[in-house]
Amino acid sequence: MIQISSLLWKGSLVGLLAVILGAFFLWPGSTPGIKEFPQAEYDFVIIGAGTAGSVVARRLVEGTNNSVLIIEAGGEPSWISSIPLLSPSLQMTSADWGYKTVTQARAMWGLNDQQAAWPRGKVLGGSSSIYYLIHTWGAKQDFNDWEKKKGCTDWSFQNVLPFFQKSEAFTSRKKQTGHRGYKGPLHVSEFDASQSPVAKGFLESARDAGLDIGDLNGELELGAMPCQSNIHQGKRWTGFQAYLKPVLGLPNLDVVIETVATRLIFEGKRATAVEILKIPTGDVQHVRARKEIILSLGTVGSPHLLLLSGIGPQKDLESLKIPVVASIPAVGQGLLDQLNVPMYFHLSRPASITTSKVRSLGQMWNYFVKGKGVLAESGIEALLRAPMSQSSLDPALFLMLFNMGSVNADIFAKIANFKDDAFRTSFPDSHNDSKEGFIILASCLHARSRGEIYLTSSDPSVAPVIDPHYLEEDYDVKCTIQAMKLAARLAKSEPLRRLGVKLHLPDYSECSQYNQTMRDPRYLECWARTGGITGYHPMSTCRMGSDDNPDSVVDSKLRVRGVKGLRIVDGSVFPSQTSGPPNAAIVMVAERAAEFIMEDAVSDT
Ligand SMILES: Cc1cc2nc3c(=O)[nH]c(=O)nc-3n(C[C@H](O)[C@H](O)[C@H](O)COP(=O)(O)OP(=O)(O)OC[C@H]3O[C@@H](n4cnc5c(N)ncnc54)[C@H](O)[C@@H]3O)c2cc1C
């Protein structure tokens, strides 16, 4: 909260007014349907009320006789979390697990101890309650690869399309083309690029570079578009808001919060119950599932609980004296994350969001009274997906335009774990609240470096080790540099140049031996290794795959191999990365999974 006040209303009367108005307009009130303690038994027990868990819970309870319990470690979202522009201030609060990676040898050189801060939502809505709201399906080719290359039966784009459509309510600024969903629970709005000279310039520069401008969700594989976000009437629209909140209070759904699942209990090979710990009281209880247990704890939480419960690499489990239920070497392995390189651009024209504009009375009024203005947007205004070379059709490079230069050092340095000097040279105008500028986040969509998550203790309160192995594969370095060069090229083209755009080349002490120029590949590599931070999109630690694939943890219906009554539904099951931030695709996976669960429940009776 201290950080938020320093961002917005440091000692100003405007701040006081905003808080009063905010509390009045946004305070959600007490939430019905949240129980102190669960019953002893349900048909289905879902662990994790994040993006995926919220979807599955809604689909399993609405219009059915199923009794369902959903267990969440975190609490209720704060009112401040509904303000889109304030997303970064939610990290390192009680709504964040606050993980850190282990020291990275080949990356994160600009971060303290070369360790990346790794936020994950610990709150109803999970990571969708703290995320940056970007809504991207991924490319069609991603899902066709899931089916053809990864052996995931019936996961081609044609198979998944109806579930994307079912999930979303897209409000387009242009004529609706029909390939999107318009009646689902998840609101998607499109940024109005005509209101932002920088976004307009970015899109025009992309067009000048030969890219199409259109809809990257289901229409274009490559190209650029104004950002689409899960924002509705100026507020964050999370998995919780969209899916779980509307069914709270139904008699067949119980929700418990501030409760962690510490172990799964098996009878033979069947998962029958969950051991839970109520955090505030320390009470331990077992809850039985008559039909199925669904793990939706996310990319860190799901492998963590499997390992604690005896499902994972046999040797590792034995070394921690955890009784082995099923030996599955791939649990926790194959971790993928996108690495973002923030590139700062000076602007000589007043065309960006600045901290002083955000704090102005006009913006406060605009937001708290009308639900509009810069606070009602995430700041990410446009996205671009491009191939590695002109002869390729594969999405490889990804750029996100964050139209804010004067990022608050108190927040941004801390949430990424930046060293002071590296932060100062990455974001040179962070001390100046009214300085115009913007950031392009450059990344490689399909990084090949694979990381891992593993245990050092059988004690559930000890966080697992997270080692993403960033930039260990040469391809990732080459691809990231290509993305950085593309961003620099766009900034030089006329539509952005006329706004007085100038790329800032950071002066990292780690890179002092190289020529500080976009033409020196060694400098660019060093920049990526020093200034790069997590893309916040970890996945694939419990991958889906064909029965003969030793790298898979779940089958094509997301059932955990080697046991019964247990399914995983969250970002950990992605067999490979999707071409963009993954939240919308996780919602799609969960919509599909809910159908699998219902079908299997019927065929079991
Ligand atoms: C800062 C940030 C920005 C991001 N920006 C974007 C973006 O703009 N667009 C996008 O598409 N994606 C974005 N992402 C990624 C996206 O939010 C996640 O990929 C997605 O929400 C993951 O969904 P999930 O269901 O797999 O897991 P989560 O949503 O993380 O849900 C897991 C839930 O399980 C709970 N849990 C974990 N362990 C236990 C336990 N033992 N007992 C009980 N409960 C437990 C957690 O508290 C959490 O609520 C961002 C992520 C972060 C952190």
Side-chain angles (χ1 to χ4, degrees):
M1 283 301 171
I2 293 164
Q3 291 173 347
I4 293 159
S5 56
S6 74
L7 172 69
L8 271 184
W9 28 73
K10 240 174 198 167
S12 75
L13 278 174
V14 175
L16 187 61
L17 177 69
V19 171
I20 294 165
L21 283 169
F24 183 74
F25 285 103
L26 300 171
W27 189 258
S30 66
T31 312
I34 294 182
K35 296 274 182 330
E36 182 74 19
F37 292 103
Q39 298 164 29
E41 193 172 81
Y42 295 83
D43 290 332
F44 298 99
V45 175
I46 303 166
I47 310 172
T51 297
S54 300
V55 178
V56 175
R58 161 103 174 245
R59 296 306 185 197
L60 290 187
V61 295
E62 207 173 39
T64 74
N65 294 322
N66 297 322
S67 69
V68 175
L69 170 70
I70 185 161
I71 300 164
E72 170 54 44
E76 295 187 61
S78 65
W79 69 266
I80 204 106
S81 69
S82 64
I83 305 175
L85 191 68
L86 299 192
S87 301
S89 65
L90 305 171
Q91 293 171 45
M92 297 203 152
T93 66
S94 60
D96 176 9
W97 285 85
Y99 293 120
K100 258 192 203 147
T101 67
V102 290
T103 298
Q104 297 298 287
R106 318 286 317 271
M108 310 288 159
W109 296 347
L111 306 188
N112 292 306
D113 303 318
Q114 294 174 211
Q115 291 182 299
W118 241 54
R120 296 282 88 201
K122 186 182 186 184
V123 57
L124 287 173
S127 299
S128 75
S129 288
I130 64 168
Y131 82 142
Y132 291 159
L133 301 155
I134 303 166
H135 184 86
T136 48
W137 290 6
K140 296 176 193 171
Q141 184 183 310
D142 301 333
F143 305 101
N144 292 335
D145 284 350
W146 283 14
E147 182 169 76
K148 285 209 188 96
K149 294 191 182 160
K150 305 291 176 184
C152 304
T153 312
D154 293 339
W155 283 91
S156 71
F157 182 70
Q158 277 318 308
N159 293 121
V160 302
L161 176 62
F163 297 91
F164 276 121
Q165 292 170 329
K166 181 181 182 186
S167 67
E168 65 178 16
F170 178 49
T171 313
S172 173
R173 300 196 162 268
K174 291 186 234 99
K175 199 170 146 275
Q176 295 178 350
T177 56
H179 68 284
R180 300 293 300 269
Y182 304 99
K183 294 188 179 149
L186 190 60
H187 284 283
V188 185
S189 62
E190 189 178 44
F191 181 72
D192 183 359
S194 69
Q195 301 299 311
S196 164
V198 175
K200 244 167 66 184
F202 179 90
L203 294 169
E204 284 169 19
S205 297
R207 181 176 280 135
D208 290 355
L211 286 161
D212 291 328
I213 311 300
D215 186 357
L216 291 173
N217 291 332
E219 190 184 50
L220 294 179
E221 292 287 85
L222 301 167
M225 69 171 185
C227 189
Q228 296 177 16
S229 303
N230 299 127
I231 298 174
H232 182 50
Q233 296 174 339
K235 292 186 197 164
R236 167 185 293 273
W237 204 248
T238 64
F240 172 64
Q241 294 286 345
Y243 280 92
L244 196 53
K245 205 168 174 191
V247 291
L248 287 180
L250 284 187
N252 55 342
L253 174 68
D254 282 355
V255 182
V256 290
I257 58 174
E258 296 174 344
T259 302
V260 279
T262 46
R263 199 164 55 94
L264 300 169
I265 294 156
F266 290 86
E267 284 170 17
K269 292 280 182 188
R270 184 170 192 93
T272 53
V274 186
E275 179 183 86
I276 58 171
L277 167 75
K278 182 100 194 150
I279 301 167
T281 58
D283 286 307
V284 174
Q285 191 181 338
H286 289 183
V287 185
R288 287 182 68 83
R290 279 185 287 267
K291 293 184 176 164
E292 219 180 281
I293 296 171
I294 296 117
L295 305 188
S296 295
L297 299 83
T299 295
V300 180
S302 285
H304 188 200
L305 189 63
L306 282 185
L307 294 167
L308 289 170
S309 310
I311 300 180
Q314 181 155 352
K315 260 197 189 152
D316 296 359
L317 298 175
E318 282 170 354
S319 71
L320 292 170
K321 303 203 167 30
I322 298 173
V324 178
V325 175
S327 168
I328 306 184
V331 173
Q333 301 299 305
L335 167 68
L336 290 162
D337 188 21
Q338 283 148 355
L339 177 124
N340 278 336
V341 180
M343 300 173 71
Y344 180 75
F345 296 84
H346 300 278
L347 257 176
S348 63
R349 295 259 309 275
S352 63
I353 304 167
T354 63
T355 313
S356 62
K357 284 182 200 168
V358 173
R359 269 202 227 123
S360 71
L361 182 58
Q363 286 297 343
M364 295 286 170
W365 187 259
N366 225 356
Y367 184 69
F368 289 108
V369 177
K370 298 186 192 157
K372 294 194 160 89
V374 293
L375 283 160
E377 302 287 351
S378 71
I380 298 173
E381 298 186 349
L383 307 176
L384 181 152
R385 209 156 60 196
M388 280 279 268
S389 67
Q390 282 194 332
S391 59
S392 166
L393 294 175
D394 298 336
L397 317 177
F398 194 59
L399 302 183
M400 290 183 276
L401 168 68
F402 179 52
N403 190 14
M404 187 164 183
S406 60
V407 292
N408 184 288
D410 291 346
I411 294 180
F412 282 85
K414 197 165 154 202
I415 62 177
N417 197 31
F418 265 112
K419 293 191 277 197
D420 287 347
D421 57 343
F423 181 78
R424 269 198 305 274
T425 190
S426 297
F427 306 98
D429 292 330
S430 59
H431 57 285
N432 185 341
D433 284 358
S434 49
K435 190 79 178 64
E436 300 279 342
F438 63 86
I439 292 160
I440 294 182
L441 295 148
S443 63
C444 177
L445 283 170
H446 298 276
R448 294 181 186 166
S449 305
R450 287 188 170 269
E452 55 189 331
I453 284 177
Y454 57 90
L455 301 187
T456 52
S457 166
S458 58
D459 176 351
S461 68
V462 176
V465 173
I466 300 171
D467 190 351
H469 293 258
Y470 288 118
L471 295 184
E472 288 194 357
E473 293 285 337
D474 290 344
Y475 169 84
D476 299 356
V477 177
K478 204 171 138 203
C479 172
T480 306
I481 290 177
Q482 287 278 85
M484 294 163 73
K485 283 184 165 174
L486 176 61
R489 221 172 49 239
L490 292 186
K492 277 197 160 169
S493 77
E494 189 48 30
L496 281 175
R497 218 175 38 180
R498 64 174 170 248
L499 296 173
V501 171
K502 187 167 175 280
L503 170 62
H504 164 76
L505 297 170
D507 180 17
Y508 298 116
S509 53
E510 291 81 357
C511 309
S512 56
Q513 65 274 42
Y514 306 120
N515 290 329
Q516 223 169 294
T517 147
M518 288 305 290
R519 282 187 296 278
D520 185 347
R522 291 165 312 164
Y523 168 69
L524 295 180
E525 177 174 344
C526 186
W527 178 356
R529 293 195 190 280
T530 308
I533 54 175
T534 170
Y536 303 118
H537 305 147
M539 53 187 80
S540 304
T541 48
C542 298
R543 278 165 286 167
M544 166 170 52
S546 57
D547 291 348
D548 57 358
N549 180 351
D551 287 341
S552 73
V553 174
V554 297
D555 67 12
S556 294
K557 291 199 164 176
L558 309 178
R559 293 171 293 212
V560 178
R561 298 191 177 285
V563 293
K564 287 197 175 349
L566 190 61
R567 213 177 292 251
I568 307 181
V569 185
D570 57 28
S572 72
V573 302
F574 279 32
S576 57
Q577 282 166 322
T578 48
S579 298
N583 192 66
I586 294 173
V587 171
M588 173 280 289
V589 166
E591 286 277 15
R592 268 213 98 188
E595 291 201 357
F596 296 150
I597 295 166
M598 304 271 260
E599 283 160 16
D600 285 359
V602 170
S603 63
D604 280 356
T605 51

